[in-house]
Structure formats: C-alpha cells, structure tokens
Amino acid sequence: MAYPTLTDKPGALETAAAIRAGEMSPAEAVDAAIIRIEHFDGHVNALAVPDFERASEAARALDGVTPRPKGDPNYQPLFGVPMTIKESFDIAGLPTSWGHTQFADNIATRDAKLVAKLKAAGAIFIGKSNVPPDLTDWQSNNPVYGRTNNPHDHERSPGGSSGGSAAAVASGMVPCEFGTDIGGSVRVPAHFCGVWGHKSSWGLISKHGHDHPAMRGKDGHDGALSIAGPLARNADDLAALMRIGASMPLRESGKPLKQCRLLAVLDFPDSPIDDSVRAPTEAALAALEAAGVSIDRSSDLLPDLAQQQADYLRMLNTAMARGAPAPNGKRASATDWFDLLDAQTRNEIAWERVFESYDFVLAPPAPVLAVPHRDGSIFDATLHVNGAEMPAGAGLTWAGLATFPNLPATCLPIGSGTDRGTTLPCGMQVMGPRWSDLDCIHAAKAIGDILHG
C-alpha cells in the first residue's frame, strides 16, 4: 500500500551514518538542508525562525572532529545532523512568540531541556518551525510568521499545532523534528503530511523551556495532558529521538507483531470518520489480517468513550485556559480540577485492563484528511465528513483517545485517501500501555513493513 511521499532524502540516522563514514561532513549536511529550505520553503513556509549562520558555524566546528564510537559514554547518535524544532521551544538567542505579535521580540536566554539534550546528541539546529497562536489549532497560521501550507497540497493545512514541524519533515527540508501534542498536535500533522510522529507517555520527556512567553523566566509546570514528541520519516529515527529525549530508561518487550493481539477502534460516539480515512484504514487492517496479525474490531473492555471524551474536553479546556473563566463565565474550582484528576485516574485504570488483553489499539489520528485552509480556527468551524458538516471539536475525540489516559501513540502513514478529488496521505495511530513508547514505535514499524514492503 503506497502512500504519497515528496522526498528521498536520508533520515536522521542515515545522515549521521554518512557523516561517520566520511561520505559527507557536518557542514555539507547543514548546507544541503539550508539549500533545500531556500528552494522549497517559499511555497510551504514551514520555517518560522531561521538560524542558518549559527548552524553553519556549529557545523564547521565539527568538521574534522572524529565522532565517538557507539558504546562510548559520550556517543552522539545525531552527530552533525541538521534539524528544526517547534517555535514554542526555547533556543537561546532566538525568539519564542507562540505566534503572537506582542511576543515577537521575546528572545530566549537559554535552551529548553529537550533542545540541550538534542544538541548534546550532536544535532545542529537550523531554525524553528511554524505554529498557530497559543498552539490551539489544526492549522499553523499566525500574524507573526504567516501561514504554513501542506507540502502535498498548498491549499490545505499541514495540521497543527506542530504543522510547521511535519511540513518541514515531509518536504525533505530536515530529516527530523520535535513538536508537542495535547489535542493531536503531533499525530494530526503526521497524518495530514504523510510522516511518522509519536505522542509520548505523559511525563516522559521534559517540556522545561516550553513555556508560554507570558510566563517567561517563571519555570512553569509541564502542563497536564501536554507532551513533547518527535516527527520523522521512519520509525528508527522516532525511536532514536525518543531515547535521546526520555527522562528515564525506556523498556522494550521485543514481542513480534504476529504474536500480539490488536484491537481496532474505528467508531467513536459523535465523531464518525470520513470514508477518505475509513477506506485506507480498512484496507490496512485487511492487509495485516492477511499477513497473520490478530485484530479484534470490538471489545467490552473499552471504557465509556463518550464519558472519556467529555472528561477529556473539560480537562483540556481547563488546562489550556489555566483555570480562567470558560465562555459561559464559570471558573473551574480546585474541587473541579481534583474531580477531573479522579476521572482521569479511573480512565487510566480502565485502559490498563484493556492492555491486559491487548498489546496495542489501532485508531485513526483524525476523522478527516488534510483540511482546506480556513480563516480563523478550525475549531470554530466544521469538518466535512461523508457529505455532512460536523462540529470540528468532535474531531478531537481521536486525539483524546490516547491523550486523556496519558498513553503513548505512534502515528504512521498507511496509504492515501481521496477528499473531494484530491489524493492525500492517511495515517493510523498505534496506542499501547503507558511507558511502552518504544514498543508502540516498533509495532508501527512492523505494521509499515507489512503494508509497504
């Protein structure tokens, strides 16, 4: 099952291997990425904040340096690899505006912890990628940096809020990226752009230095539900990025996919999936079953999904507003918040019971393919689903499926669908128990191997 791709450029680990083999220098790798950006980004606008001069200096400083061998305590798996990161992460000397003009001159004085880890692993940052204001849309359009286009169709969104991230990876500008996800903000752009993305287990990767510019210098909480997660063009790069970013050792079961029991969830209360998503998803499930993979289509073990979605939206809106009054004028109390934490805990326990019987759960990342550009937020409008209009907020159900119970989920491209005459990439998310991040990525890789050969 082929899916639309736009580049044959090497991934992160392949680039690092070429540098280690002497096939290219770090400066050549960085220069090539800058040339690709200069060639493609005028049409895509994925890069919000370029940092070419400092990147070139950092790369030249590595030329002639012998990379340490694997197994060395100071081994750098990304030695000389150029990459970008979501604009909302701090990089010392660069602006962090979250898409707001009043914060356009907010220059970070230090690196986010994740940025520091990636630099220590040898990565060279050539800039930061575009976002929507406050990271709250499935588009990446703001008054500071403008609109990012989907590289597959410039009239459509690359997703959000890590839309610039996915567009940069999909178009071949950079081999890898890191975004954040609270409402599908890694998985939906991966799905819209035909790349790989991973929503990490909540709390696994530090988001210190990923603070709203209004909080500058105050070292805020990581944020309920919100995670940092990588985007790349293959599963091995995702796994490497997760190992670099993780705050604790990651477990791996090594269980082959054909020995796993999978559950597919394609129906969710009040959020039907469009046929453009259902058709490639059903085709992928059929191909997996034909290859000997066991997949159930329903289970009484699933929690009450309607209740989960209602609780997720309440927690999401409360967390995003930091307790500010809702549109109805009511402010969440401390008691309201603790009630939500109790509901979340009950939901986590229910999913633990699911994973006592199933190794992974498969589901769409979103009910639609890449949506056409719109003025204003997608969530103030509707989604076109099977010829009818559905409130766009209902599309968050597929993100909340893994977000509310703090589960990991890997999004992989599975094929293509057709929306109103346009062929676009389609993805699928692979959910697993909390802290099974590498297992989710490995299962997604095995699924991709079956689907794409």
Side-chain angles (χ1 to χ4, degrees):
M1 297 176 60
Y3 62 92
T5 57
L6 299 170
T7 183
D8 59 359
K9 296 302 179 184
L13 293 180
E14 190 177 353
T15 299
I19 292 171
R20 289 179 181 277
E23 297 169 7
M24 70 171 73
S25 68
E28 289 170 335
V30 166
D31 287 346
I34 292 172
I35 289 170
R36 289 195 296 273
I37 290 169
E38 291 175 337
H39 179 71
F40 292 113
D41 207 37
H43 303 288
V44 177
N45 193 35
L47 199 69
V49 183
D51 197 19
F52 296 163
E53 185 174 340
R54 293 198 305 175
S56 295
E57 290 175 359
R60 287 195 297 271
L62 294 181
D63 283 353
V65 175
T66 302
R68 295 179 182 272
K70 196 170 184 177
D72 187 293
N74 296 312
Y75 174 66
Q76 295 177 295
L78 299 181
F79 183 88
V81 175
M83 68 177 293
T84 49
I85 198 165
K86 192 172 183 175
E87 196 269 357
S88 47
F89 284 96
D90 284 344
I91 295 181
L94 297 183
T96 303
S97 73
W98 288 45
H100 289 287
T101 54
Q102 65 265 42
F103 299 120
D105 296 325
N106 173 42
I107 306 301
T109 58
R110 62 184 179 181
D111 290 339
K113 281 189 177 179
L114 179 58
V115 170
K117 282 191 170 187
L118 291 162
K119 285 184 176 179
I124 298 174
F125 285 96
I126 59 177
K128 301 206 291 180
S129 54
N130 206 19
V131 297
D134 291 329
L135 320 184
T136 57
D137 197 7
W138 279 0
Q139 301 183 102
S140 294
N141 180 31
N142 64 73
V144 182
Y145 304 117
R147 183 187 293 280
T148 301
N149 299 319
N150 190 309
H152 293 273
D153 180 348
H154 295 171
E155 300 303 313
R156 292 179 182 254
S157 169
S161 58
S162 309
S165 304
V169 172
S171 57
M173 297 181 201
V174 291
C176 63
E177 252 266 8
F178 253 97
T180 59
D181 188 317
I182 191 172
S185 289
V186 164
R187 291 162 289 164
V188 170
H191 165 60
F192 280 9
C193 291
V195 298
W196 295 67
H198 182 74
K199 178 217 168 292
S200 57
S201 297
W202 185 82
L204 181 57
I205 297 177
S206 171
K207 287 173 49 261
H208 182 270
H210 183 273
D211 302 314
H212 193 285
M215 292 276 295
R216 182 182 180 187
K218 295 182 180 179
D219 290 340
H221 182 260
D222 255 11
L225 303 173
S226 178
I227 62 87
L231 296 105
R233 291 192 295 272
N234 63 70
D236 289 340
D237 284 355
L238 283 189
L241 292 164
M242 283 302 302
R243 291 188 181 97
I244 292 165
S247 300
M248 64 185 77
L250 296 173
R251 71 188 192 206
E252 299 179 66
S253 73
K255 188 175 182 180
L257 183 67
K258 291 184 180 180
Q259 295 179 16
C260 293
R261 189 179 178 197
L262 278 57
L263 173 64
V265 177
L266 302 188
D267 296 294
F268 203 116
D270 300 320
S271 185
I273 60 175
D274 190 70
D275 288 343
S276 63
V277 174
R278 184 177 290 274
T281 303
E282 291 283 9
L285 296 178
L288 294 174
E289 289 173 324
V293 179
S294 174
I295 306 175
D296 286 352
R297 301 303 185 99
S298 64
S299 173
D300 293 336
L301 294 171
L302 284 171
D304 182 335
L305 296 182
Q307 185 62 53
Q308 173 176 331
Q309 174 64 3
D311 292 334
Y312 163 62
L313 287 179
R314 278 193 289 272
M315 179 173 272
L316 174 69
N317 290 328
T318 303
M320 295 289 281
R322 295 182 64 85
N328 63 8
K330 293 183 178 180
R331 181 186 293 272
S333 67
T335 298
D336 293 332
W337 184 251
F338 280 106
D339 287 345
L340 281 171
L341 292 176
D342 290 340
Q344 186 184 40
T345 297
R346 289 190 292 271
N347 185 254
E348 289 174 337
I349 293 170
W351 279 102
E352 287 174 3
R353 288 195 288 268
V354 172
F355 289 116
E356 288 172 1
S357 296
Y358 294 98
D359 297 279
F360 303 102
V361 172
L362 310 180
V368 293
L369 303 177
V371 297
H373 291 313
R374 293 178 187 165
D375 294 330
S377 171
I378 282 177
F379 297 115
D380 292 333
T382 59
L383 298 176
H384 189 76
V385 178
N386 296 328
E389 298 301 316
M390 178 180 80
L396 288 168
T397 54
W398 299 100
L401 198 63
T403 299
F404 189 61
N406 290 323
L407 301 175
T410 303
C411 181
L412 77 150
I414 57 170
S416 62
T418 302
D419 177 57
R420 289 167 280 188
T422 302
T423 299
L424 297 162
C426 181
M428 181 167 67
Q429 56 179 333
V430 181
M431 298 166 46
R434 194 173 185 185
W435 313 124
S436 67
D437 293 72
L438 290 183
D439 287 343
C440 288
I441 293 171
H442 295 330
K445 179 181 180 181
I447 290 169
D449 288 343
I450 291 171
L451 298 182
H452 311 308

